[in-house]
Structures are given as structure tokens and as C-alpha cells.
Amino acid sequence: MPTKEELKKLENSLDALNLSINILKKGIGYYVYFNKPTEKSREFKIHHSSCGNCAWGTGKIGKANPGKNGVWLGPFENPIQAKEFMILELKISYNRVKNCNCC
């Protein structure tokens, strides 16, 4: 039979686990990589957080300097929301925003 202290410790670890899961869930969604210097010369692809290119909005290069190397925008709830954001807020033309193969 577990002691009161052991049960309290278990409860605290479960609370921490739930918090971690909730934080991770907030990162699930769709992202777009935006790099201002190449804004006029490239397509913008929408990626799911599980995509290897996106990696939950961290990208392939873990040590990249966000802002200097571009930024991952998101998460968005769905690809349509991501596309609308790119068109309305960043003024990217409709035909330059595509879905990655992961979507």
C-alpha cells in the first residue's frame, strides 16, 4: 500500500505530465516558413507540425537564429487559416501559397 507522501508525489508528477501534454498540444497545427529577403522570389508552403521540414515550428536547423534566418509562423488550426493569414496579413498572392506534401 502506497503512503500518503508517495501518492502526493504521484499526483504532482501527473499534474506536470498533463501540463507538458497541454503545452505540446498547443504546438500541433499548421505552420508557414517566412523569410523576408526571399519574399518576392519563392513560394510559401504550409506544413503540418509533424512534417520533417517544420518540426513543430522549429525547422530542420535547430540552431537557426529566428528572424535572421526567417521564422516559422503558426500554429494555425488548419491549412485554410494559414493561407488566409499569408494572403491578408503578409500580402502574399494566393497562387504563391501552397501545401507541402505533408498536408
Side-chain angles (χ1 to χ4, degrees):
M1 178 76 113
T3 66
K4 182 177 179 179
E5 291 79 24
E6 290 171 330
L7 290 173
K8 190 63 178 167
K9 186 177 177 180
L10 175 61
E11 183 180 329
N12 289 338
S13 68
L14 290 175
D15 287 344
L17 180 60
N18 285 335
L19 177 62
S20 298
I21 290 170
N22 287 335
I23 289 169
L24 290 174
K25 281 183 181 178
K26 287 184 180 185
I28 295 173
Y30 296 87
Y31 292 80
V32 178
Y33 185 74
F34 180 76
N35 190 350
K36 186 71 174 168
T38 61
E39 174 186 9
K40 297 194 184 332
S41 63
R42 65 185 296 257
E43 286 185 336
F44 294 89
K45 289 194 177 176
I46 299 168
H47 302 267
H48 189 267
S49 50
S50 62
C51 175
N53 291 310
C54 174
W56 293 47
T58 62
K60 288 182 177 180
I61 305 168
K63 295 181 181 179
N65 184 359
K68 181 179 178 185
N69 301 100
V71 295
W72 285 94
L73 304 173
F76 298 97
E77 290 183 16
N78 55 57
I80 295 167
Q81 185 186 39
K83 190 167 194 166
E84 286 175 352
F85 177 84
M86 297 299 289
I87 294 166
L88 297 174
E89 300 299 327
L90 299 177
K91 309 300 184 218
I92 305 297
S93 67
Y94 178 85
N95 61 347
R96 292 182 52 220
V97 183
K98 310 286 184 193
N99 287 348
C100 174
N101 293 335
C102 68
C103 294

